[in-house]
Amino acid sequence: NVFLQGCGLAETLTAADVTGTAQAGGASTITLHAGASAVDDFYKGMVIQPTNNSPSGWTNEPDHVIIAYNGTTKVATIERPWTTQPTVASTFAIRANALYIPASQGLKNLTIYDYVHHKTAGQDSVLRKLLGAMGNASFTLPNKGLPVAAFNFMGQFIAPADIAHPGAVTVDNTKVRVFTGADVYLGSTLIKLNQITLDLGNQLAQFDDQSATYGVDVGDITARLITGRINPRAGKMSERNVWADFLAGTERQLWIRWGTAAGNRQSLLLPEILFQSSE
């Protein structure tokens, strides 16, 4: 997704499933096969699934997300302990996926084309163009509703021009799954919530450039503060003491996953969140 890359996220694509047989297993770890990536944290944020029944019950193990990976030892750490611990006979799959994580270098600027079409067929369109654009994104996951992503970009504006109609658009026919049937883990505890919102919090700027047509340079992301809001079902203090977490500055992990069909599974991992307030 080029829009996500334009919002300061780095993209990692795995075109095929990564499969293998575990070399060892621990309470919250699995040692991947010898041919696994040698890059630290290469699989961080990716979902791992059991694929055989050794040991007994391994295929009934729910999906997990990898939160750390050592490229030298091949040890992957998961977000919560296994129910059935893997052994040297356990096989696994890290499904083909597109992974996006916040980056601080190698950020991409976009050129965005905006066409305004004439109501009469065969007439020219008006093209408005934004050069060197960078942006911010916010996301809303409403229970029983469609997830929504909103983008805001800043860049060098190019004066509109008449051009020939570019032709019909090509639309991806994969429909995003409604936010139901999801697993939501706060720490290692399965919780229920009504809605989650997330804002990448990118601070956008355009610096002066006297050589540019309108006196400004391309867009830049100069700072980032990711914020959001969750509203899990209220419970007893002994079950989840948000107030104590807030006072102590305790960091928690949040993992959300929904969708079961290949090509239409979504996963959101926030490795460390701090409560700013309790409502």
Side-chain angles (χ1 to χ4, degrees), residues 22-197:
Q23 300 183 69
S28 300
T29 63
I30 182 171
T31 304
L32 306 186
H33 57 298
S37 174
V39 179
D40 287 344
D41 283 341
F42 183 83
Y43 302 112
K44 184 177 181 178
M46 298 186 187
V47 175
I48 186 169
Q49 297 177 331
T51 56
N52 73 345
N53 200 35
S54 182
S56 178
W58 174 239
T59 51
N60 295 324
E61 180 72 34
D63 294 347
H64 290 266
V65 64
I66 297 172
I67 60 172
Y69 175 70
N70 186 310
T72 302
T73 63
K74 314 299 182 186
V75 173
T77 303
I78 57 171
E79 87 293 349
R80 66 189 192 279
W82 304 104
T83 302
T84 301
Q85 186 171 308
T87 67
V88 292
S90 301
T91 62
F92 63 87
I94 300 172
R95 299 303 181 187
N97 70 101
L99 175 69
Y100 298 92
I101 60 174
S104 298
Q105 57 186 3
L107 305 184
K108 290 190 175 182
N109 293 86
L110 306 182
T111 299
I112 300 176
Y113 290 72
D114 176 32
Y115 295 95
V116 181
H117 299 308
H118 200 283
K119 64 181 180 181
T120 303
Q123 297 295 314
D124 282 349
S125 300
V126 174
L127 171 61
R128 301 183 295 188
K129 191 184 298 184
L130 199 62
L131 300 182
M134 299 194 79
N136 186 50
S138 60
F139 309 90
T140 303
L141 279 64
N143 189 39
K144 304 183 295 293
L146 287 172
V148 175
F151 298 92
N152 177 46
F153 286 93
M154 177 182 291
Q156 291 178 326
F157 184 71
I158 302 300
D162 294 332
I163 66 163
H165 192 293
V169 298
T170 301
V171 180
D172 188 342
N173 61 6
T174 300
K175 298 178 180 178
V176 177
R177 180 182 171 87
V178 170
F179 189 48
T180 58
D183 290 326
V184 182
Y185 286 91
L186 184 60
S188 59
T189 303
L190 189 65
I191 65 169
K192 301 176 182 179
L193 52 74
N194 178 261
Q195 178 172 279
I196 177 172
T197 61

